[in-house]
Amino acid sequence: QKEVEQDPGPLSVPEGAIVSLNCTYSNSAFQYFMWYRQYSRKGPELLMYTYSSGNKEDGRFTAQVDKSSKYISLFIRDSQPSDSATYLCAMSDSQGAQKLVFGQGTRLTINP
Amino acid sequence: KAGVTQTPRYLIKTRGQQVTLSCSPISGHRSVSWYQQTPGQGLQFLFEYFSETQRNKGNFPGRFSGRQFSNSRSEMNVSTLELGDSALYLCASSSGLGNTEAFFGQGTRLTVV
């Protein structure tokens, strides 16, 4: 079993919908949680960075971490066609950003 | 502020050859981490260098090695290439001090034939 599990999709939704992306993990040492967006043939782009449990909001994006359930989520409000990409969750323990464990990535398509 | 620069962007090599990839981190960042991305395995951590020293290492064979220079630029070397080494190789730059964000380059796409 992988340390981080993420549904690879693909996920297809209409423009304007609320998108929910999720990851589960097994390593209770993980403390730092990130979401990256990766367009085709590009490197991952950092979207959200959170520490421990709780919510964090940035524009149309909201990240939630529930350490008790070992479950993290990314919500995208008012989704746009330009949000179409692969979304990767990543996490790390006390070693931080220098050694990330990634989920498989969810391919998301927003249909106009 | 310049981002993370990886060169070359694309590379085609023959089985058995070796290859060297380069990564220049964001100015002021001292940590460079390398990752391999394949459709089957996703993104996997290779190793991390901080102040010219390897600080973390993933579960890859010894054919994969790296180094970091005094200006924080890093190189990754893969010797005796195998077909399975075909992948997107990404480097990530971070300050290396405490738990801060990691920023990725565009990657080098290596194809082994």
Side-chain angles (χ1 to χ4, degrees):
Chain A
Q1 187 185 2
K2 290 180 180 288
E3 274 189 295
V4 180
E5 298 280 358
Q6 183 177 8
D7 187 340
L11 180 62
S12 181
V13 301
E15 183 176 355
I18 296 175
V19 177
S20 172
L21 304 168
N22 312 292
C23 290
T24 59
Y25 63 95
S26 57
N27 187 346
S28 58
F30 288 147
Q31 301 180 56
Y32 301 89
F33 304 91
M34 287 134 275
W35 286 94
Y36 285 86
R37 176 174 63 192
Q38 186 174 26
Y39 292 112
S40 182
R41 301 189 178 279
K42 301 286 189 182
E45 170 194 9
L46 181 64
L47 283 176
M48 302 290 281
Y49 175 87
T50 55
Y51 169 71
S52 196
S53 287
N55 294 359
K56 183 175 183 180
E57 188 174 320
D58 184 1
R60 297 184 295 110
F61 298 91
T62 299
Q64 288 185 351
V65 175
D66 182 349
K67 288 189 69 179
S68 63
S69 301
K70 295 189 178 69
Y71 186 87
I72 70 170
S73 300
L74 177 71
F75 297 95
I76 307 174
R77 291 183 300 281
D78 188 26
S79 55
Q80 304 294 311
S82 58
D83 295 328
S84 298
T86 296
Y87 289 79
L88 298 147
C89 64
M91 35 199 93
S92 65
D93 56 21
S94 58
Q95 296 184 72
Q98 292 77 46
K99 184 178 180 181
L100 301 176
V101 180
F102 282 85
Q104 277 290 98
T106 299
R107 182 171 292 183
L108 172 67
T109 301
I110 309 296
N111 301 302
Chain B
K1 189 176 185 181
V4 181
T5 302
Q6 289 189 247
T7 56
R9 290 292 310 278
Y10 302 93
L11 210 48
I12 300 175
K13 289 286 187 179
T14 304
R15 248 183 328 175
Q17 286 186 314
Q18 74 167 16
V19 66
T20 300
L21 314 180
S22 178
C23 173
S24 292
I26 292 169
S27 177
H29 282 187
R30 293 163 61 187
S31 169
V32 174
S33 298
W34 288 90
Y35 293 81
Q36 181 194 66
Q37 187 175 31
T38 59
Q41 298 298 318
L43 265 154
Q44 293 185 284
F45 174 78
L46 281 155
F47 34 65
E48 182 233 353
Y49 284 85
F50 176 78
S51 292
E52 302 179 64
T53 301
Q54 187 180 87
R55 192 164 63 170
N56 287 296
K57 190 177 188 307
N59 297 322
F60 277 80
R63 299 186 297 107
F64 293 82
S65 62
R67 59 178 176 169
Q68 187 179 35
F69 302 95
S70 58
N71 62 357
S72 294
R73 189 178 70 87
S74 178
E75 288 182 347
M76 189 191 92
N77 184 275
V78 187
S79 63
T80 319
L81 284 166
E82 301 176 0
L83 296 179
D85 297 332
S86 295
L88 181 66
Y89 289 89
L90 293 156
C91 80
S93 164
S94 68
S95 70
L97 303 173
N99 296 293
T100 57
E101 297 95 325
F103 300 93
F104 282 84
Q106 299 283 50
T108 294
R109 183 163 298 281
L110 171 65
T111 302
V112 182
V113 296

